[in-house]
Amino acid sequence: MILMSQGYTSSEIGEHMDASAKLVCAWASMVRKFLKACPEEEFIDTRGNK
């Protein structure tokens, strides 16, 4: 998701990760579904912010 937000295409990400563009799209879809299902309070801030 970070790479996509930086403007990389599914094909470019797939080449880097040795996966097909369709698989990258499937991963992104699962991540979006997960993020939509989780309330913000449950996220852990890994940057050290409070």
Side-chain angles (χ1 to χ4, degrees), residues 3-18:
L3 292 174
M4 285 184 164
S5 71
Q6 294 174 348
Y8 289 93
T9 66
S10 298
S11 296
E12 292 169 331
I13 296 168
E15 287 176 17
H16 179 70
M17 301 190 75
D18 197 29

Side-chain angles (χ1 to χ4, degrees), residues 3-50:
L3 292 174
M4 285 184 164
S5 71
Q6 294 174 348
Y8 289 93
T9 66
S10 298
S11 296
E12 292 169 331
I13 296 168
E15 287 176 17
H16 179 70
M17 301 190 75
D18 197 29
S20 70
K22 285 186 178 186
L23 184 56
V24 173
C25 288
W27 291 337
S29 177
M30 287 187 289
V31 169
R32 280 191 299 273
K33 183 177 179 180
F34 172 79
L35 292 174
K36 285 180 183 179
C38 290
E40 283 188 41
E41 301 86 44
E42 293 184 18
F43 288 112
I44 299 172
D45 189 348
T46 59
R47 297 170 291 179
N49 297 330
K50 295 184 182 207

